[in-house]
Amino acid sequence: MARIIIVNGPNLNLLGSRETDHYGTVSLDQINSDLTELAQQLGLEVSFFQSNSEGSLIDYIHREASKADGMIINPGALTHYSYALRDAITAVNIPSIEVHLSNIHAREEFRSKSVIAPTVDGQIAGLGSYGYALALSFFADKFNKE
Amino acid sequence: MARIIIVNGPNLNLLGSRETDHYGTVSLDQINSDLTELAQQLGLEVSFFQSNSEGSLIDYIHREASKADGMIINPGALTHYSYALRDAITAVNIPSIEVHLSNIHAREEFRSKSVIAPTVDGQIAGLGSYGYALALSFFADKFNKE
Amino acid sequence: MARIIIVNGPNLNLLGSRETDHYGTVSLDQINSDLTELAQQLGLEVSFFQSNSEGSLIDYIHREASKADGMIINPGALTHYSYALRDAITAVNIPSIEVHLSNIHAREEFRSKSVIAPTVDGQIAGLGSYGYALALSFFADKFNKE
Amino acid sequence: MARIIIVNGPNLNLLGSRETDHYGTVSLDQINSDLTELAQQLGLEVSFFQSNSEGSLIDYIHREASKADGMIINPGALTHYSYALRDAITAVNIPSIEVHLSNIHAREEFRSKSVIAPTVDGQIAGLGSYGYALALSFFADKFNKE
Amino acid sequence: MARIIIVNGPNLNLLGSRETDHYGTVSLDQINSDLTELAQQLGLEVSFFQSNSEGSLIDYIHREASKADGMIINPGALTHYSYALRDAITAVNIPSIEVHLSNIHAREEFRSKSVIAPTVDGQIAGLGSYGYALALSFFADKFNKE
Amino acid sequence: MARIIIVNGPNLNLLGSRETDHYGTVSLDQINSDLTELAQQLGLEVSFFQSNSEGSLIDYIHREASKADGMIINPGALTHYSYALRDAITAVNIPSIEVHLSNIHAREEFRSKSVIAPTVDGQIAGLGSYGYALALSFFADKFNKE
Amino acid sequence: MARIIIVNGPNLNLLGSRETDHYGTVSLDQINSDLTELAQQLGLEVSFFQSNSEGSLIDYIHREASKADGMIINPGALTHYSYALRDAITAVNIPSIEVHLSNIHAREEFRSKSVIAPTVDGQIAGLGSYGYALALSFFADKFNKE
Amino acid sequence: MARIIIVNGPNLNLLGSRETDHYGTVSLDQINSDLTELAQQLGLEVSFFQSNSEGSLIDYIHREASKADGMIINPGALTHYSYALRDAITAVNIPSIEVHLSNIHAREEFRSKSVIAPTVDGQIAGLGSYGYALALSFFADKFNKE
Amino acid sequence: MARIIIVNGPNLNLLGSRETDHYGTVSLDQINSDLTELAQQLGLEVSFFQSNSEGSLIDYIHREASKADGMIINPGALTHYSYALRDAITAVNIPSIEVHLSNIHAREEFRSKSVIAPTVDGQIAGLGSYGYALALSFFADKFNKE
Amino acid sequence: MARIIIVNGPNLNLLGSRETDHYGTVSLDQINSDLTELAQQLGLEVSFFQSNSEGSLIDYIHREASKADGMIINPGALTHYSYALRDAITAVNIPSIEVHLSNIHAREEFRSKSVIAPTVDGQIAGLGSYGYALALSFFADKFNKE
Amino acid sequence: MARIIIVNGPNLNLLGSRETDHYGTVSLDQINSDLTELAQQLGLEVSFFQSNSEGSLIDYIHREASKADGMIINPGALTHYSYALRDAITAVNIPSIEVHLSNIHAREEFRSKSVIAPTVDGQIAGLGSYGYALALSFFADKFNKE
Amino acid sequence: MARIIIVNGPNLNLLGSRETDHYGTVSLDQINSDLTELAQQLGLEVSFFQSNSEGSLIDYIHREASKADGMIINPGALTHYSYALRDAITAVNIPSIEVHLSNIHAREEFRSKSVIAPTVDGQIAGLGSYGYALALSFFADKFNKE
């Protein structure tokens, strides 16, 4: 059974309780719980990690990526400057999808640039927490075909 | 039954026969046929349109959007400069998702900027023709909930 | 009797029905009808053309400008990138006024730059549909004096 | 009877005697005299002010705008850098039209940027001294309708 | 016998009658007629197409390029922004030469940048209508050698 | 007793009556009256000056700075371009604090750049009219210590 | 009694012992001790936190801000690139003041840009460690009034 | 006898007493007195004007230039942004030389750009107050030759 | 008989032996020999010069251009920065064509900018050593017509 | 005996196992072991530290630099944005050399800019793991001479 | 007797015979002859050097500057990019004045930037060949005073 | 025995006698003499070349590189603009190391950009003349291993 790691960066632990017009009212725990259920239906195994620290995110990716078949990552605001996170993703070299809850292209100018994007396979943005589900579906489709 | 229009811009009629390393080997007809089937499963009605002409794309959106509940659009290279297409999408004001087959952020610099993005609800890029399917799933989920 | 062509670009066919806070509630037909009346009072002959296609706009200008004494043009969003339209206006070389319904300088950054502007004689922006009437008055004054 | 103030900035006192290829051969006094006559026909009251000093222009606007219904302003070269003049116009908050005699978009690069434009309602450029008359007509139309 | 398609973009139908200081006094028909004659001498077959519409140019290239051995293209002002035309040329993937009548590097700043150039094999600029003839000679030499 | 000059630039005479969401409802006279009282408590002498004219502000600074121990200056919109005011402050070389009522970094882009800032000792922004009081406290602390 | 958290970012633990020409000779402990005393006089409760780690700063703000009435933050060099810290401040949404010991506008170019500034209420820069005291006074004034 | 006006802008009244490392220790009065003497030797008549106000400088130039044969101008910091002063110099259209005491190219970046320079005949920078004398010599040579 | 000088800049002496994928396998001697033969057929006299030194190229152009009717120049990498070479070409003022072996627009960014281009009559790029032959044909055609 | 600290940033723990074409096949442990041996020969004492966390790197530098005579640092991707790391190096103020395994100037654009470089004494880039050895030699030479 | 070297860069050997509208009709020999005469009157010794080669200019400056008291240099187009020439001037460290015949600020954009300017003492531009004479006068005045 | 050429560009002949704070007090002859000695110890043969002329440097590299196994080059200020030198290095294609005596990243902005860097294998900067020795050690290590 293919294994997918789902990684969330800074401030995503606050989901559901703050800035709900941008990010919705569902908590990260609820999202993860829904994704666990969906993964079971799709025949995938999922693991979750969230940290506000760039270093911890890199440590996690180094340690877990070699045991995983795919990664879904929402780097939060690290999206816009963390070349170190980008290098970590490049290094582990597994299929990866970048997810953003809000449409990063319709907000402040700096949010439209992702330094992570050139190293992942694809991105899904602006579709709320449903974006994680779509990314999971993509991996299910991908690993079923293979 | 919710109705979704799926709009493809310049050069996407060549899908499957040219630059297959960037865009895959499946033709647009095959993609559309697969999407029709998926739409039936999801309880959605779909219509397709492709044109190499910016003017025809705008005409189509003006005419059909008022009869549709959602739009999936791959603007091709118009993504990078067609403010006229952007204004058309803003004007008709229906839920819209921008889809790109390739990861536009990992290619030439000019491809990483979308003038369409700020006016759509979300984007899916780099997941090949499966991106259209994900966008359709999103709409199915959205309209089922309502 | 001097003849003026009045050319409208992409999305202006939607006037009055969409984004009415930016563009007002009067339809293009109504505007044109008012302008026809005003032209009669001013002793001018007017012709109207609207298209969402850059190519059709250029074709029209090539064909009609040689039979006209002046042009009023609202290029819509082509204002910001259509060097081809600009070259067409330069080529036909008749007195021309660029009109914008909204104040393009008080909206998104990209709207404040017009690639058409350097080739026309003058511009009127932000005065709503009354801008067309002012442009017509200008031509009446100009051709009466001559 | 609606009252319109007509404000001219630096160097416009030289109109008619210098750089006549850019600005025409009519003096500012002659223009103002013509505008007074036109205002009478249109049922408007007009007042004129010209200064080469940014501070005096701001003082005038502060003092007179509260007694006026509209403002026509040609800021001269202050157009391109006087954020102080812009703030004055924003503060007094009456309907305002920016007028330029020449087509500022067809001259040196720096002239195509107006820091005043985002705070006025509309602009008229490149139509010579007739631009003031058109602005006056706009106000007449506006206040007659109300 | 090798077949070459010769494609001209917006406003080139006006050649010979307008802006003759930039583009010379010879009409496009005359140029094409001369090129037909030259092609015969060189043992090449030529076809011509001109359109003011980006979409029609792309349609033509899609349809005809697979039957041709080489393309000579003067994209007119589309040179400076039509990424869609560029993608069409990339997609059909036949030997291509970009021709400009005037020296685009000695005119306005925006004309010195070609978005088409990176996808063609070479360019000839500033040599008037003789540029087409040189491009034809290049293809004759190329296909004779092979 | 240390003497502090408090200098306000263009449009600050309108405080309290205009754009009250940005600048509050207290008038400049009221602010100055409060500051006079505070100064007495702090053992400082204060003088006030406001002008809409860059030249008058420079004249005032030249004349009064040599008799003062410190300066509090809110340059209004001159903040963003008046290198002449900057040079005046550099020339008189007394301890100076730049005060802005609103948070200039959270408004239009051009407001986030201060050409005055590199020549003053410090800045206080976004704390409303209380910013002047804080600046005064700073000087009281500074001169008490010496 | 209102509670204020005072947060210091990278390298501020070195205060008083290094680069004393930029940052003064007083240690962070001494500053904090002085602020505790001042807070008592002003009727405020204060808590202190310093970390060299962006992630720890975000964790602290998430955890403590909901129990606090205001925040004083000196983000150190994170000021110039930490969009993650900015998002944390935006998320917790309590009154916040950014403090810098030195005048960041009079040093290297990169120091004049703060990505934190648009999300706080105000800033105080260049007034040395006295800046923290002024920020505290501001909060005292604010909460006394309410 | 040819008449030369010598115009000095903001802060130059402080010459000799402030920032003497950049601008020397000689006062403007002393400079003017030396120039008067030199002018007599060279057979030229000179008039002097200094103001800290852009508006007054423009007024002076308008009024005096028509009676003068040449102008020497040190615009002070207005050099870097006063397009209004530039337009005044363009308008009066007499031979003009821009003088700077210090080498503006070896100081802050913003000082290396002069908006005045494109409209004058020549510039002399970095040669201290002797620059005015050289400019006067140039005019003497010029008018003697004619 | 018209005389054409053919000038090659830095590194072109290595043609045929190095970086053959960019520049082909033919040596400069062979190219010149072929061009001599072609020139005879076309009724032109040709002279050749190559140097790795900017100064020698300028010396040659100064000395020989007055005796020549046209110049073909491949400035090598001097294309991108040698304003001195540009000024030399401008000064001698004879018909000139810039030739590049490779398509400079499809390589590194810096190669797409030519400081020489604005001063020559035309350019030929990307057609290999055949570009020199085409330039020669152009001159033959030009001088035959005259 | 002089003591040198050798600090490695994010992702350098993966050396030898990933992206071996850029970074070689030798592990960080092996490199450190070789450097220990070399240090003994050179009469230097060495300590090693690696972390993926910016905060931990800064903590380490604060704590250890005062006990060290020199630092060799490879900041990994933090090189390109970590002004906090830069400030830490500036603060501790010991002789420092920046080492990069690959030639950062021949890769992506963003890698050619180092925000660390202005604060170190020198850099060695592109010489693989041998760069650390050269840096060590430099310190040996430096401390032997003193 | 003070000794001044007068150095002229690329293309200045053509003075008087080419582009006479920019550079006048006097030859460099004539200018030098006039300067020799003037130098005698001023009590200065002068030497002249002109080369089209950057390397030769640097060699000359290295060799002659140590024997000279001042340098007058017109670097021609090397002004805009020759950091090597700039470094040579910095290295020899004698009083230097940069002279340009034309007003480099009123021509093409690239001519308004001098990389030489920050290292010389002053500049004279736009005053024709008289600029050399003024520079010589400056040195005479300087060395007479000392 | 491997042969290394050591190439120094403009102004490096002045080493030891000028700007000694940037470049040290050791002459180039002394450095070369030390390097000859070191080379002998390392079993390498070395040749030296210095020129102030870009053309001569390119000539030397063309001629000597084919007989050498490695190159050490300090291009002086040509580092920042000589694409011709870069192309020469690319063409000869031997292992090359760029050396700078000073830390080019801690000086003027323009010095931090090297156009040479992308074509060499590595760089050493800021370590004084010891940088040449380190580069030599690198080659010794490299050729010993092979």
Side-chain angles (χ1 to χ4, degrees), chain C residues 45-105:
Chain C
E45 186 190 335
V46 284
S47 302
F48 300 100
F49 185 71
Q50 190 276 334
S51 176
N52 293 324
S53 159
E54 181 195 58
S56 303
L57 292 163
I58 295 171
D59 287 345
Y60 178 83
I61 291 170
H62 286 181
R63 194 175 62 241
E64 297 296 326
S66 63
K67 304 177 226 153
D69 300 287
M71 172 163 52
I72 298 170
I73 184 161
N74 179 343
L78 292 173
T79 301
H80 314 304
Y81 60 100
S82 179
Y83 289 109
L85 187 56
R86 170 194 177 131
D87 280 2
I89 298 172
T90 303
V92 300
N93 197 21
I94 60 169
S96 300
I97 300 178
E98 185 185 340
V99 169
H100 297 283
L101 298 165
S102 64
N103 180 355
I104 56 177
H105 302 287

Side-chain angles (χ1 to χ4, degrees), chain I residues 3-142:
Chain I
R3 179 167 177 256
I4 308 299
I5 55 176
I6 301 182
V7 181
N8 282 283
N11 297 304
L12 287 158
N13 53 318
L14 298 183
L15 270 183
S17 59
R18 308 248 184 199
E19 289 193 285
T20 51
D21 48 330
H22 268 135
Y23 302 114
T25 56
V26 186
S27 73
L28 188 57
D29 276 357
Q30 187 57 50
I31 289 170
N32 289 352
S33 160
D34 291 355
L35 290 172
T36 303
E37 199 175 322
L38 176 62
Q40 281 179 323
Q41 293 166 20
L42 295 170
L44 295 170
E45 186 190 335
V46 285
S47 302
F48 300 98
F49 185 71
Q50 190 276 334
S51 175
N52 293 323
S53 158
E54 181 194 56
S56 303
L57 291 163
I58 295 171
D59 287 345
Y60 178 83
I61 290 170
H62 285 180
R63 194 176 63 241
E64 297 296 325
S66 63
K67 303 178 226 153
D69 300 286
M71 170 162 54
I72 297 170
I73 184 160
N74 179 343
L78 291 173
T79 301
H80 313 305
Y81 60 100
S82 180
Y83 289 108
L85 187 56
R86 169 195 179 130
D87 280 3
I89 298 171
T90 303
V92 301
N93 196 20
I94 60 169
S96 300
I97 300 178
E98 185 184 340
V99 170
H100 297 283
L101 297 165
S102 64
N103 180 355
I104 56 177
H105 302 286
R107 299 176 64 191
E108 300 98 327
E109 177 67 18
F110 74 83
R111 293 201 201 271
S112 70
K113 189 191 158 204
S114 167
V115 304
I116 305 299
T119 203
V120 296
D121 295 279
Q123 306 161 273
I124 297 172
L127 304 182
S129 63
Y130 199 70
Y132 297 104
L134 293 180
L136 220 47
S137 303
F138 175 79
F139 280 128
D141 183 71
K142 178 185 177 77

Side-chain angles (χ1 to χ4, degrees), chain C residues 103 105 117 120-123 125-126 141, chain D residues 103 105 117 120-123 125-126 130:
Chain C
N103 180 355
H105 302 287
V120 296
D121 294 280
Q123 307 162 274
D141 183 71
Chain D
N103 181 355
H105 302 286
V120 295
D121 295 279
Q123 306 160 274
Y130 199 70

Side-chain angles (χ1 to χ4, degrees), chain G residues 8-86:
Chain G
N8 282 283
N11 297 305
L12 287 158
N13 53 318
L14 299 183
L15 271 184
S17 59
R18 308 249 186 198
E19 291 193 285
T20 51
D21 48 329
H22 268 133
Y23 303 114
T25 56
V26 186
S27 72
L28 187 57
D29 276 357
Q30 187 56 50
I31 290 170
N32 289 352
S33 160
D34 292 355
L35 290 172
T36 303
E37 198 174 323
L38 175 63
Q40 282 180 322
Q41 294 166 20
L42 296 169
L44 294 170
E45 186 190 336
V46 284
S47 302
F48 300 99
F49 185 70
Q50 189 276 335
S51 175
N52 294 323
S53 159
E54 181 195 56
S56 304
L57 292 163
I58 295 171
D59 288 344
Y60 178 84
I61 291 170
H62 285 181
R63 194 175 62 242
E64 297 296 325
S66 62
K67 304 178 226 154
D69 300 288
M71 171 163 52
I72 297 171
I73 184 161
N74 179 342
L78 292 174
T79 301
H80 314 304
Y81 60 101
S82 180
Y83 289 109
L85 187 56
R86 170 196 178 130

Side-chain angles (χ1 to χ4, degrees), chain L residues 74-94:
Chain L
N74 179 343
L78 292 174
T79 301
H80 313 305
Y81 60 101
S82 180
Y83 289 108
L85 187 57
R86 170 194 178 131
D87 280 2
I89 298 171
T90 303
V92 302
N93 196 21
I94 60 169

